[in-house]
Amino acid sequence: MTLRALLGLLMALLLPASGGHACSKETPCMVGERAYYYAAPEAPVGAVVYIHGWGSSGAGALRNSGMLNAFMDRGYAVVAPDGVPREGRNGRSWRFHPSADQGADVAFLQAVRDDVVQRMSVDPSKVLLVGFSIGGSMTAYTACLAPESFAAFAPLGGNFWRPHPTGCAGPVRMLHTHGWSDGTVPLEGRAVNRLPINDPEARAQGDIFHAMDIWRQTNGCVFGKADRFVTHGRFWRRIWDRCSEGSALELALHPGGHSVPRGWASMVLDWFEAL
């Protein structure tokens, strides 16, 4: 075998099964002109697609070693897509707002899912979409617009913005987590351009309790009141059971602020694996 042939064989063995270039936590996987990063255990049982917050990036999200290890120790790959560049500023964002081109970012996340399923040979029914802050908002809008895109959705510290959606495409499996003392994205929402929250010109975060009502209607839940409550441990949880078959809906509150709380990743996987 010639040296060139040997090198070609080695490259073929090293490249991912999808036929794309090798990529990792530091080297981007390209989907069209956009990128994602990932870290994975050997033979992952599933994948968690994590959407970063405002001003961060996919590679930056994977530097949260506590969260990363919590997912990977359970056998899940952690996939972190890049949002779109912020004009004139460092870092990235997402087109999550109702006035933005949400469909473009939803399509990108679907393409990332497809690439991950092929690249890592994971079951698409074990691919979960999660996100923090506006990444949580992007998670919620993806669930609303394309509920079939991921097996389940777990936004943290962010959900819908005003004007709230008047309806979503279909039932979902969702666990929303929020900090009781979150001042960046308060449970009741706030206007980020310093206008009164009811001003038509306000660019305003949504009300999490209103968002949960939208999700109850989307999932066809029988009652507004939760069916079960968990009041021990770090997370207090409200659970709606009497809803459309195959759907799931929970709200988890923790005493902290706008952060990824300790134990969140494990709670999400416990919930996901019990569905």
Side-chain angles (χ1 to χ4, degrees), residues 167-265:
C168 292
V172 297
R173 294 171 168 183
M174 176 169 289
L175 166 60
H176 178 89
T177 306
H178 217 95
W180 184 258
S181 55
D182 192 331
T184 302
V185 183
L187 284 161
E188 301 80 8
R190 69 183 178 97
V192 298
N193 54 358
R194 299 186 179 183
L195 293 172
I197 200 165
N198 58 353
D199 189 311
E201 299 300 318
R203 189 173 176 88
Q205 299 160 351
D207 185 311
I208 298 302
F209 299 106
H210 189 166
M212 295 306 297
D213 185 50
I214 293 170
W215 292 120
R216 285 193 296 272
Q217 294 179 46
T218 298
N219 280 8
C221 298
V222 175
F223 297 116
K225 175 180 174 291
D227 297 295
R228 288 186 288 136
F229 303 87
V230 175
T231 56
H232 59 269
R234 182 167 177 78
F235 299 93
W236 282 29
R237 296 163 70 174
R238 303 171 67 87
I239 305 159
W240 289 265
D241 291 321
R242 286 174 283 184
C243 305
S244 300
E245 184 177 357
S247 69
L249 186 61
E250 294 193 25
L251 170 64
L253 297 174
H254 65 90
H258 197 64
S259 64
V260 179
R262 178 172 49 85
W264 172 74

Side-chain angles (χ1 to χ4, degrees), residues 39-90:
E42 188 174 351
V45 299
V48 176
V49 179
Y50 178 89
I51 308 180
H52 65 75
W54 189 74
S56 186
S57 65
L62 294 182
R63 297 189 190 109
N64 184 335
S65 59
M67 179 192 71
L68 183 68
N69 293 335
F71 284 132
M72 289 184 60
D73 287 349
R74 297 276 289 268
Y76 287 80
V78 184
V79 177
D82 267 346
V84 293
R86 297 188 300 170
E87 186 175 353
R89 309 179 73 170
N90 294 328

Side-chain angles (χ1 to χ4, degrees), residues 67-211:
M67 179 192 71
L68 183 68
N69 293 335
F71 284 132
M72 289 184 60
D73 287 349
R74 297 276 289 268
Y76 287 80
V78 184
V79 177
D82 267 346
V84 293
R86 297 188 300 170
E87 186 175 353
R89 309 179 73 170
N90 294 328
R92 294 174 177 272
S93 186
W94 295 92
R95 288 171 289 199
F96 62 91
H97 194 268
S99 64
D101 184 11
Q102 296 170 320
D105 280 2
V106 171
F108 168 58
L109 294 171
Q110 291 172 320
V112 169
R113 173 209 59 198
D114 292 345
D115 195 69
V116 166
V117 166
Q118 184 178 5
R119 185 182 298 271
M120 302 181 196
S121 299
V122 298
D123 183 342
S125 70
K126 295 183 179 179
V127 182
L128 167 70
L129 185 66
V130 309
F132 172 62
S133 193
I134 63 165
S137 296
M138 193 69 236
T139 300
Y141 283 109
T142 302
C144 186
L145 295 169
E148 75 291 345
S149 296
F150 293 87
F153 303 85
L156 166 65
N159 211 287
F160 295 133
W161 283 53
R162 289 175 169 83
H164 298 89
T166 56
C168 292
V172 297
R173 294 171 168 183
M174 176 169 289
L175 166 60
H176 178 89
T177 306
H178 217 95
W180 184 258
S181 55
D182 192 331
T184 302
V185 183
L187 284 161
E188 301 80 8
R190 69 183 178 97
V192 298
N193 54 358
R194 299 186 179 183
L195 293 172
I197 200 165
N198 58 353
D199 189 311
E201 299 300 318
R203 189 173 176 88
Q205 299 160 351
D207 185 311
I208 298 302
F209 299 106
H210 189 166

